[in-house]
Amino acid sequence: MADRLFPAFDVPDIGEDEEYDSEYKKSVKWNPESGDFVRDGSNNMVECDGMEAYMIWCYKMVQTERYSHMSYLEGTAGTELGVEMEEALQESDHKVTESMITRTITDALMVNPRTEYVRNFTYSWEGDELHFTFEVKGIDWDETIQISL
């Protein structure tokens, strides 16, 4: 009787689909200034196209400290999400800090198969406060996006 209630079956191996992984998928719009989803007048979340969703993903990955959220620790892919900014900012040498930030952001964004490259980092220091910008280019894009923090 138990085998009829809970049947056993083999799960098919669907493998990795590189074409699927390189498509830009729609998502929910995010407002980085408010730190919340964008909502319309009826309080429904607003949808954005795949390219805007990718830009949001890039911004959020740079804002997420690696290993800081339990949901990112499950499985092997979770350990690749986010940046190691806290470690980089503990360095006393500005050039070492800049190098570590360049590496951790590049590594974090290159995990996504939609990322073609991350480059053109510029840094400006005001005392101990650091501001920086960099460019990200998604595959099949004619232009880059610039992220400033």
Side-chain angles (χ1 to χ4, degrees):
M1 171 114 170
D3 61 331
R4 284 184 282 169
L5 288 175
F6 304 104
F9 57 92
D10 293 328
V11 177
D13 181 21
I14 56 174
E16 299 268 335
D17 184 355
E18 289 186 26
E19 183 177 323
Y20 176 80
D21 285 343
S22 64
E23 294 175 4
Y24 294 96
K25 295 162 197 63
K26 294 179 186 177
S27 186
V28 180
K29 196 170 197 159
W30 179 263
N31 182 339
E33 291 177 11
S34 68
D36 200 1
F37 296 105
V38 175
R39 297 179 181 271
D40 64 15
S42 300
N43 206 28
N44 294 318
M45 290 188 276
V46 176
E47 189 176 82
C48 64
D49 67 21
M51 289 192 169
E52 185 175 0
Y54 171 75
M55 289 188 282
I56 292 167
W57 179 86
C58 290
Y59 180 80
K60 289 180 83 175
M61 280 303 97
V62 175
Q63 294 291 315
T64 302
E65 185 68 21
R66 189 173 290 172
Y67 312 117
S68 65
H69 300 285
M70 291 297 292
S71 61
Y72 296 159
L73 299 179
E74 296 296 321
T76 57
T79 59
E80 300 170 350
L81 296 177
V83 294
E84 297 169 7
M85 201 67 69
E86 290 176 5
E87 182 182 340
L89 294 173
Q90 290 176 0
E91 291 293 326
S92 59
D93 185 327
H94 287 184
K95 291 297 181 193
V96 172
T97 299
E98 292 171 9
S99 176
M100 290 176 74
I101 290 172
T102 299
R103 179 200 50 83
T104 193
I105 289 174
T106 301
D107 289 350
L109 298 182
M110 291 304 294
V111 165
N112 191 322
R114 293 165 200 83
T115 305
E116 186 173 321
Y117 63 74
V118 181
R119 61 182 171 204
N120 295 332
F121 284 80
T122 59
Y123 296 92
S124 84
W125 291 87
E126 296 173 15
D128 286 340
E129 191 172 304
L130 172 63
H131 301 276
F132 59 91
T133 63
F134 60 93
E135 292 178 355
V136 179
K137 183 173 183 306
I139 58 170
D140 300 327
W141 283 16
D142 293 331
E143 55 195 53
T144 61
I145 56 173
Q146 188 170 39
I147 298 177
S148 300
L149 299 168

